[in-house]
Amino acid sequence: MKKHRLFVISIILAIAIIFSDYHSTLASSVGKETLTMITSPDYPPYEFYETKGGEGKIIGFDIDIANYIKNELGFKLKILESDFNGLIPALQANRADFVMAGMTPTPERRKNVDFSIIYYEAKDTIVAPKSSNLKKTEDLSGKIVGVQLGTIQEQNAKQIAKNVANIQLKQLNRVPEIIQEIKAGRIDAAIVEDTVALGFVKANPDLGFNIIPSMENASGAAIAFPKNSQLVEPFNDILRKMKNYGELERLSKKWFSATSSTKEALSNKKSPTKVEGLNLDFRRIIPDIPFIIKGIPLTLLFTLSSVFLGLLWGTVLSFFKISGIKPLGWFANAYTSIFRGTPLLLQLSLVYFATPQLTGYNISALQAGILTFTLNSGAYMSETIRGGIQAVDKGQFEAAMSMGVTYRMMMWDIILPQALKNILPALVNETIGLLKDSSLVATIGVVEILRSAQIVGANKYIYFEPLLFAGLIYYVLVMGLSFAAAALERRLRRSDK
Ligand code: ARG
């Protein structure tokens, strides 16, 4: 009897210990305190940027759920971002522990990642100008249809195209771009998830949407993890709990409380006959201007470090080229031909996504950007510098040599300063190029000027105003740079005399 009681008590104790320790055990078995989530914040109300007052936080339905889960499991949470089609590669590169991006589990995706249970069901819709009367899938025959690259909507559209003649698909990176293409009349319609479509249609009353009745791969959102992640079960437990306790219901009401306004948006009958004009109204982005401006230091930091490092690396390469040592020359030439011969954007994605897999080092987007731009501009600069050195009068080499100046000192004190002065305009060109190309790092999620502008646009469901404003900033920066360079050149020339 006593033994029995002891047994029961110890079982209860053990269970209690296991449960009370659940959190810390998970954290320690996962081996970290902070979980990294990656998302594609172009998708209100699932995830989007709150940009008022310049703060720039990602918010939305998914973020609320993620926060709930991390609290329950006792983790801290860090949120990264990328375009939607970069999310699964990010998991595979171990850049993040999970993806929440309104992502639908599909058989193809399951081959590469594990999914939680579905936490939200959604349907696909056809978004089109109201006046166009594109409502059913059959209406899309002969039309150009936009979809977000890498999404289930892209697949569903392909599915539709099998049954409906002559549909031409156009894949774009972000949903706001798709909406803009419709407004520009460049595509006829788009396939977009219902709750997301609703937001855009509300902001653009000349557009309407119609749900596509039950399609094979209806949309729906689940959390994605790297294959065999230990997090799947704990996350599922919490999701089930959230379902049972009505927490999911509450959150979806908070973010999607749309059913009534859906009808309102749909029944909004006044359909204009032509697509609305440009209609610029910069007042709409005033509250978000601090947010866009915040991208400036990052862009400058990025550009200047890349220019500086690129100049150093380019100098080294140019020495290789003129050294007369064959292997070094070959290396430098091959290097230059590769980095000049392939697109910068491609190099950027490779460095960003392949580095963690190749080296185990989890390179940040900013580091990847600076590294790529340094490697790339090094190739260009090496040619410029080589030209600059070779343009210095031969007699100077000979004079220096005959006076017994060492090669190093000759290069450093006599040749390079002259070369640099000659190539200054070319270097300024390169810097301006880099400054503008720095906008490419937006694609791997660095929130610099262009990305901030896109974020504001996505948020406000507008397009041109933030972009024009960003353009203005770039222009002012480039002008500043040109003036500074002109002043420097004048100085140098004066010191010549
Ligand atoms: N549910 C769709 C899919 O999984 C679209 C999700 C797009 N999400 C985003 N954050 N843009 O393919």
Side-chain angles (χ1 to χ4, degrees), residues 1-13:
M1 195 56 196
K2 241 192 187 153
K3 247 189 189 162
H4 242 109
R5 199 177 296 161
L6 212 70
F7 183 69
V8 171
I9 290 178
S10 47
I11 292 274
I12 292 178
L13 250 171

Side-chain angles (χ1 to χ4, degrees), residues 40 42-43 47 84 101-104 109 148 151-153 193 219:
S40 162
D42 61 344
Y43 216 52
E47 43 263 327
F84 188 79
M103 187 181 274
T104 313
R109 287 180 186 157
Q148 186 177 25
T151 60
I152 184 99
Q153 282 71 35
E193 216 170 284
S219 226

Side-chain angles (χ1 to χ4, degrees), residues 31-71:
K32 50 183 141 191
E33 284 180 356
T34 305
L35 292 182
T36 308
M37 155 174 164
I38 187 159
T39 187
S40 162
D42 61 344
Y43 216 52
Y46 284 94
E47 43 263 327
F48 57 103
Y49 266 95
E50 167 78 291
T51 48
K52 258 186 219 93
E55 220 200 291
K57 252 174 65 193
I58 301 177
I59 58 170
F61 180 58
D62 281 345
I63 314 301
D64 278 2
I65 296 178
N67 275 320
Y68 189 96
I69 295 178
K70 69 116 204 239
N71 284 339

Side-chain angles (χ1 to χ4, degrees), residues 78-379:
K78 185 171 142 205
I79 300 183
L80 299 180
E81 65 156 297
S82 92
D83 278 352
F84 188 79
N85 61 329
L87 294 176
I88 290 188
L91 281 188
Q92 289 171 322
N94 268 326
R95 195 172 283 291
D97 299 298
F98 65 100
V99 166
M100 283 189 85
M103 187 181 274
T104 313
T106 62
E108 299 83 73
R109 287 180 186 157
R110 278 187 201 283
K111 282 184 205 143
N112 298 304
V113 296
D114 284 345
F115 277 102
S116 72
I117 55 174
I118 288 187
Y119 58 83
Y120 189 78
E121 304 271 1
K123 293 194 185 74
D124 278 349
T125 73
I126 298 175
V127 177
K130 284 213 184 99
S131 52
S132 72
N133 252 332
L134 301 179
K135 294 193 166 143
K136 297 188 297 296
T137 51
E138 302 86 72
D139 301 338
L140 297 177
S141 170
K143 304 285 178 205
I144 307 180
V145 176
V147 287
Q148 186 177 25
L149 179 67
T151 60
I152 184 99
Q153 282 71 35
E154 179 185 4
Q155 289 182 26
N156 290 348
K158 285 185 182 150
Q159 195 75 24
I160 296 173
K162 280 193 191 139
N163 306 317
V164 181
N166 280 331
I167 294 186
Q168 191 188 328
L169 284 193
K170 181 153 182 194
Q171 288 95 335
L172 292 157
N173 269 330
R174 343 197 85 233
V175 181
E177 284 165 24
I178 304 178
I179 302 297
Q180 199 50 44
E181 287 288 85
I182 301 183
K183 294 181 59 161
R186 223 172 279 129
I187 61 179
D188 300 297
I191 310 286
V192 181
E193 216 170 284
D194 48 1
T195 43
V196 178
L198 175 72
F200 285 99
V201 166
K202 273 215 261 183
N204 300 284
D206 49 337
L207 300 181
F209 71 95
N210 287 281
I211 290 178
I212 306 173
S214 67
M215 215 161 22
E216 205 183 309
N217 301 315
S219 226
I223 309 175
F225 304 87
K227 270 256 166 254
N228 303 318
S229 163
Q230 305 177 31
L231 294 172
V232 185
E233 272 324 302
F235 270 57
N236 274 340
D237 285 344
I238 309 290
L239 282 177
R240 278 190 209 103
K241 226 162 123 192
M242 292 179 78
K243 248 184 203 166
N244 295 338
Y245 296 168
E247 183 65 21
L248 276 182
E249 178 80 32
R250 192 183 71 75
L251 287 180
S252 59
K253 276 225 183 77
K254 168 175 168 196
W255 294 103
F256 303 120
S257 64
T259 22
S260 58
S261 45
T262 311
K263 283 186 201 121
E264 196 182 294
L266 280 170
S267 65
N268 192 347
K269 279 277 151 48
K270 57 163 183 13
S271 46
T273 38
K274 64 171 180 38
V275 189
E276 69 180 44
L278 254 191
N279 251 342
L280 292 182
D281 179 3
F282 282 92
R283 275 169 307 179
R284 286 193 282 190
I285 62 163
I286 288 175
D288 306 293
I289 283 180
F291 176 72
I292 302 183
I293 285 181
K294 255 180 146 178
I296 296 178
L298 200 64
T299 297
L300 286 179
L301 168 80
F302 178 84
T303 308
L304 296 180
S305 356
S306 308
V307 168
F308 178 69
L309 296 172
L311 188 61
L312 291 184
W313 179 222
T315 310
V316 171
L317 286 172
S318 68
F319 281 168
F320 283 5
K321 287 179 185 171
I322 58 175
S323 67
I325 305 170
K326 283 223 166 101
L328 289 185
W330 283 332
F331 166 77
N333 283 329
Y335 178 92
T336 305
S337 102
I338 291 175
F339 275 89
R340 284 204 307 199
T342 53
L344 182 53
L345 185 55
L346 180 148
Q347 294 164 13
L348 184 64
S349 330
L350 278 183
V351 169
Y352 180 61
F353 285 108
T355 303
Q357 264 160 326
L358 287 180
T359 66
Y361 177 67
N362 194 352
I363 193 167
S364 77
L366 186 64
Q367 289 165 339
I370 294 182
L371 179 61
T372 314
F373 277 60
T374 300
L375 294 177
N376 184 280
S377 77

